[in-house]
Amino acid sequence: MEKIILTGDRPTGKLHLGHYVGSLKRRVELQNSGEFDKIFIMIADAQALTDNADNPEKVRQNIIEVALDYLSCGLDPEKCTIFIQSQVPELCELAFYYMNLVTVQRLQRNPTVKQEIQMRGFSDDEENQNKKGTPVGFFTYPISQASDITAFKATTVPVGVDQAPMIEQTREIVHKFNSVYGETLVLPEMVLPENTTCCRLPGTDGKAKMSKSLGNCIYLSDSSKEIKKKVNSMFTDPEHLQITDPGHVEGNVVFTYLDAFCTPDHFAKFLPEYANLDEMKDHYRRGGLGDGTCKKFLFNIMEEFLAPIRERRKVYEQDIPQVFEILRKGSEVARAQAAKTLEEVKDAMKINYFADKDLIAEQAAKYKAK
């Protein structure tokens, strides 16, 4: 069996560090590992429209932003297929068939769906006039995602921990389909970030999740000035009022980011008074280490990491038509694969009427015999 990856992002804005550590970094590593036969990277514009139906221009404009972030981070169109979801209509048809395999009650129990509905201010209570009702397309997001994954026969799906329930529901749909119609779909496995800190990188304000809507993101395309401003405003330890005060590293966003990004080499380069992060944490806990020093160290690490990404992005920005051409070609490749899977699904479901010669012959013989 071929080893295939499917993953992607909704184009609702530029990608941020949470996207990078949560899955994008891993995608690039897997792409360069040579272990996989095919890699599909999807810009999920159709899914983005489920809760942006009144602002399609936002989604339209961010297609290119996400594509630029992909390319500048190292996703290579020679090694992977980058495509736009809406340009592969077969995905909608697959999702329609899968809807019959999932109950409303099961969707309501999906933790990711419940969390996202709450975060976006939707409500399932028709009597609640203060909140918008949940769009059906958004509510059936797990089914759409199952369609995306199975259409490309993905064996591996790199995701953040918050998406784990979605992959589990995809696996349920695959099991159900195969048990009803015969072995047709491939059962996917998810790959979580190896660094546990990266499973859910908090926002700069200390909120549990980095989110565009909360305004607590560091974007991959941020300028050096913007990064410095955001790092300097990071939530630390509210009880660490004086440099001499003992500090807490748990829940301290600066140290969470250092856990995610710093290496011993960074200390040798930017903060040689410490050999590693453990020494630095010990000093902070004892007291005597100021937040300003910690933030300056983190800024240097962030700048070293993001500067090359920013420079590669500038190169791609000079040839936007070529970026769209990459997306067009990728969408053609993706559609061909999805169409093949859809044909197999319809064969298994026995709704391939015009291609089923036995059915036609059987019906013809039946009526001739009358």
Side-chain angles (χ1 to χ4, degrees):
M1 178 187 293
E2 287 187 308
K3 296 179 68 176
I4 300 172
I5 289 176
L6 181 283
T7 186
D9 298 282
R10 288 158 41 101
T12 55
K14 296 178 179 180
L15 301 185
H16 52 63
L17 285 179
H19 292 116
Y20 184 84
V21 301
S23 60
L24 188 50
K25 178 176 183 288
R26 188 65 173 142
R27 294 176 204 172
V28 176
E29 292 171 349
L30 293 172
Q31 165 198 271
N32 295 333
S33 71
E35 298 176 14
F36 292 86
D37 300 289
K38 297 175 183 176
I39 300 176
F40 292 94
I41 312 291
M42 181 178 72
I43 300 178
D45 63 325
Q47 288 181 352
L49 286 168
T50 59
D51 58 324
N52 288 280
D54 58 347
N55 190 10
E57 189 62 22
K58 172 185 175 182
V59 176
R60 176 182 171 86
Q61 293 297 327
N62 280 307
I63 293 286
I64 196 66
E65 297 290 355
V66 173
L68 287 168
D69 284 331
Y70 281 168
L71 295 169
S72 61
C73 283
L75 288 176
D76 184 350
E78 296 297 321
K79 297 179 180 179
C80 63
T81 300
I82 306 174
F83 69 98
I84 301 175
Q85 184 185 30
S86 64
Q87 304 307 297
V88 185
E90 289 79 5
L91 299 176
C92 293
E93 188 171 350
L94 278 173
F96 182 79
Y97 299 139
Y98 295 167
M99 285 180 188
N100 298 314
L101 305 176
V102 182
T103 66
V104 171
Q105 292 75 20
R106 176 63 183 91
L107 287 172
Q108 289 174 327
R109 292 198 308 271
N110 187 303
T112 303
V113 172
K114 291 165 67 175
Q115 178 184 354
E116 294 293 330
I117 285 176
Q118 183 179 20
M119 190 172 76
R120 285 167 172 75
F122 294 140
S123 173
D124 291 329
D125 181 4
E126 292 185 358
E127 301 302 319
N128 190 337
Q129 300 298 317
N130 297 320
K131 291 187 176 182
K132 298 182 292 183
T134 307
V136 172
F138 188 85
F139 185 66
T140 58
Y141 193 105
I143 301 173
S144 172
Q145 194 168 70
S147 170
D148 301 330
I149 293 168
T150 59
F152 303 102
K153 299 188 175 181
T155 56
T156 304
V157 185
V159 293
V161 67
D162 59 327
Q163 288 293 306
M166 307 290 266
I167 306 305
E168 184 54 40
Q169 189 142 22
T170 293
R171 289 171 60 85
E172 290 176 13
I173 289 172
V174 170
H175 278 302
K176 180 71 171 179
F177 187 96
N178 288 348
S179 66
V180 173
Y181 300 111
E183 291 293 323
T184 308
L185 303 177
V186 174
L187 192 68
E189 300 288 344
M190 64 180 162
V191 175
L192 295 171
E194 294 180 340
N195 184 337
T196 55
T197 303
C198 297
C199 285
R200 187 181 288 273
L201 194 68
T204 56
D205 57 358
K207 301 292 185 186
K209 184 177 181 180
M210 184 175 285
S211 168
K212 292 183 282 285
S213 61
L214 295 175
N216 60 3
C217 303
I218 293 179
Y219 293 100
L220 300 175
S221 54
D222 274 348
S223 67
S224 178
K225 184 177 179 180
E226 288 169 326
I227 296 167
K228 189 170 187 176
K229 180 179 178 181
K230 291 177 179 180
V231 169
N232 285 338
S233 68
M234 274 185 174
F235 179 83
T236 55
D237 175 9
E239 297 179 8
H240 188 246
L241 302 178
Q242 303 291 330
I243 291 179
T244 53
D245 292 338
H248 298 87
V249 300
E250 295 76 15
N252 187 321
V253 175
V254 173
F255 282 98
T256 303
Y257 278 58
L258 289 174
D259 280 328
F261 288 98
C262 87
T263 67
D265 289 342
H266 287 130
F267 285 95
K269 187 180 298 185
F270 302 124
L271 202 61
E273 45 266 61
Y274 304 103
N276 52 49
L277 185 55
D278 286 337
E279 284 191 9
M280 184 179 178
K281 286 181 176 179
D282 287 343
H283 191 180
Y284 190 82
R285 290 189 180 104
R286 293 193 310 269
L289 176 59
D291 290 324
T293 299
C294 299
K295 289 180 176 180
K296 182 178 179 181
F297 179 50
L298 177 60
F299 166 73
N300 287 330
I301 293 171
M302 290 288 90
E303 179 63 11
E304 182 183 68
F305 165 64
L306 290 172
I309 294 175
R310 195 163 56 232
E311 292 306 310
R312 285 193 294 270
R313 198 180 206 274
K314 287 180 181 177
V315 173
Y316 284 110
E317 286 174 349
Q318 300 308 305
D319 195 356
I320 294 299
Q322 178 57 28
V323 177
F324 274 104
E325 182 64 10
I326 289 170
L327 296 176
R328 185 189 67 79
K329 289 181 177 179
S331 297
E332 287 183 351
V333 172
R335 186 171 187 187
Q337 175 62 63
K340 183 178 178 182
T341 301
L342 177 60
E343 183 179 352
E344 293 170 359
V345 164
K346 294 173 80 170
D347 285 347
M349 296 176 68
K350 298 190 182 302
I351 56 174
N352 56 339
Y353 307 113
F354 306 128
D356 191 339
K357 304 303 181 185
D358 291 338
L359 172 65
I360 296 171
E362 173 192 314
Q363 295 293 317
K366 172 183 174 181
Y367 286 96
K368 279 185 180 179
K370 285 188 175 181

